C-alpha cells in the first residue's frame, strides 16, 4: 500500500497562503479601530488644544465641573474666572476649561 505524499514545496506554499489569509482579518480590524476610534479622538484633542491656546480675557467659558464664568486674566497655564452672581474670582488650570461659550450667546 502506497501513500501519496505531497512535495515539500507544495506544503510550504499552502502554509504561506493560509497565514496571509488568517492575518487579513486582524489587519482589517486594526485599520477599522484606527479610523473609527483613534483618528477622531486625535482630531478632537487638536481642536481642544487650539481652543485653549486662543483663550483671552473677556471670553465666557464653562469648566469641566460645569462652572460658567468670564475670564479676567490668562497666565501660562492658569486662568482667573469671575463667577456670577457674587462676582467671585476663582483660579483654574487651563486644562479645566471644557468649552468657550462667548460665540453661542450672540447667535
Amino acid at each position: 500500500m502506497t501513500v501519496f505524499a505531497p512535495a515539500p514545496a507544495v506544503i510550504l506554499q499552502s502554509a504561506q497562503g493560509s497565514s496571509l489569509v488568517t492575518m487579513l482579518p486582524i489587519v482589517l480590524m486594526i485599520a477599522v479601530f484606527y479610523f473609527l476610534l483613534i483618528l477622531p479622538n486625535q482630531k478632537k484633542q487638536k481642536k481642544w488644544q487650539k481652543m485653549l491656546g486662543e483663550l483671552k480675557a473677556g471670553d465666557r467659558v464653562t469648566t469641566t465641573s460645569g462652572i460658567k464664568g468670564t475670564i479676567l486674566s490668562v497666565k501660562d497655564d492658569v486662568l482667573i474666572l469671575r463667577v456670577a452672581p457674587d462676582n467671585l474670582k476663582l483660579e483654574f488650570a487651563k486644562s479645566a476649561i471644557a468649552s468657550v461659550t462667548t460665540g453661542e450667546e450672540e447667535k
Side-chain angles (χ1 to χ4, degrees):
M1 181 179 207
T2 40
V3 178
F4 176 74
V10 173
I11 294 172
L12 287 176
Q13 241 179 1
S14 65
Q16 288 174 351
S18 66
S19 67
L20 290 175
V21 171
T22 58
M23 291 293 289
L24 187 62
I26 295 170
V27 171
L28 289 175
M29 196 165 43
I30 290 171
V32 167
F33 275 119
Y34 179 77
F35 285 110
L36 292 179
L37 298 174
I38 297 170
L39 194 61
N41 196 21
Q42 287 177 345
K43 288 181 182 180
K44 182 180 174 184
Q45 184 74 18
K46 286 180 184 178
K47 183 179 174 183
W48 182 69
Q49 289 291 339
K50 182 181 176 190
M51 183 262 308
L52 288 182
E54 295 174 350
L55 290 175
K56 62 187 179 305
D59 285 346
R60 291 197 39 83
V61 295
T62 302
T63 65
T64 53
S65 60
I67 298 173
K68 295 182 178 186
T70 305
I71 298 175
L72 293 178
S73 67
V74 179
K75 296 178 185 171
D76 291 333
D77 60 345
V78 176
L79 303 169
I80 307 284
L81 293 183
R82 184 178 63 228
V83 181
D86 297 331
N87 290 330
L88 293 173
K89 293 180 182 177
L90 301 174
E91 188 173 321
F92 284 93
K94 268 190 178 180
S95 60
I97 303 301
S99 64
V100 177
T101 57
T102 303
E104 294 175 5
E105 293 175 354
E106 297 171 356
K107 291 181 181 178

